[in-house]
């Protein structure tokens, strides 16, 4: 069905993204790949992922999220994952 194909595509992109983040030594809490019934993730025709970058209630996360170099690293990792997923060079 379309929903299972979409889930498979979301998983494919997620794996690419996780590998990019690991390659750049971005720490991830526990198992970074989880599933949830969030409305934004349930559109059956569009692959989707939800990316949590940290918690502002955590002083270490807040410090990293305020860092331009950290945000640049995260942004590049996400962009490269999108390019790779879409086969864009």
């Amino acid at each position: 069905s379309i929903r299972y194909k979409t889930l498979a595509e979301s998983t494919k992109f997620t794996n690419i993204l996780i590998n990019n983040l690991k390659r750049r030594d971005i720490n991830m809490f526990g198992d970074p790949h989880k599933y949830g019934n969030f409305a934004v993730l349930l559109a059956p025709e569009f692959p989707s992922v939800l990316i949590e970058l940290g918690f502002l209630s955590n002083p270490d996360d807040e410090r990293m999220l305020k860092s331009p170099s950290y945000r640049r690293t995260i942004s590049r990792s996400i962009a490269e994952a999108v390019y790779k997923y879409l086969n864009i060079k």
Side-chain angles (χ1 to χ4, degrees), residues 8 14 18 23 41 46 48 50 60 66 70 82 88:
T14 300
I18 288 170
R23 196 172 66 245
L41 300 176
F46 301 108
S48 56
L50 176 64
D60 292 331
K66 285 182 175 179
Y70 181 77
V82 170
I88 298 172

Side-chain angles (χ1 to χ4, degrees), residues 55-56 58-68 70-71:
F55 301 95
L56 293 178
N58 179 311
D60 292 331
D61 286 354
E62 180 183 9
R63 179 183 45 76
M64 288 189 310
L65 291 167
K66 285 182 175 179
S67 163
Y70 181 77
R71 291 193 313 267

Side-chain angles (χ1 to χ4, degrees), residues 7 11 15 18 20-21 32 34 37 45 48 58 65 69 73-74 88-89:
L7 178 60
T11 299
N15 290 332
I18 288 170
N20 278 4
L21 294 171
K34 299 177 183 167
N37 286 327
E45 62 276 358
S48 56
N58 179 311
L65 291 167
S69 65
T73 299
I74 294 290
I88 298 172
K89 303 268 180 200

Side-chain angles (χ1 to χ4, degrees), residues 24-86:
R24 287 196 166 85
D25 294 324
I26 301 298
N27 291 327
M28 290 175 265
F29 184 76
D31 178 11
H33 191 184
K34 299 177 183 167
Y35 299 92
N37 286 327
F38 301 104
V40 69
L41 300 176
L42 296 178
E45 62 276 358
F46 301 108
S48 56
V49 297
L50 176 64
I51 302 170
E52 289 182 311
L53 299 175
F55 301 95
L56 293 178
S57 59
N58 179 311
D60 292 331
D61 286 354
E62 180 183 9
R63 179 183 45 76
M64 288 189 310
L65 291 167
K66 285 182 175 179
S67 163
S69 65
Y70 181 77
R71 291 193 313 267
R72 195 170 24 260
T73 299
I74 294 290
S75 299
R76 284 185 179 146
S77 294
I78 294 169
E80 287 174 6
V82 170
Y83 290 145
K84 185 171 183 177
Y85 173 79
L86 296 174

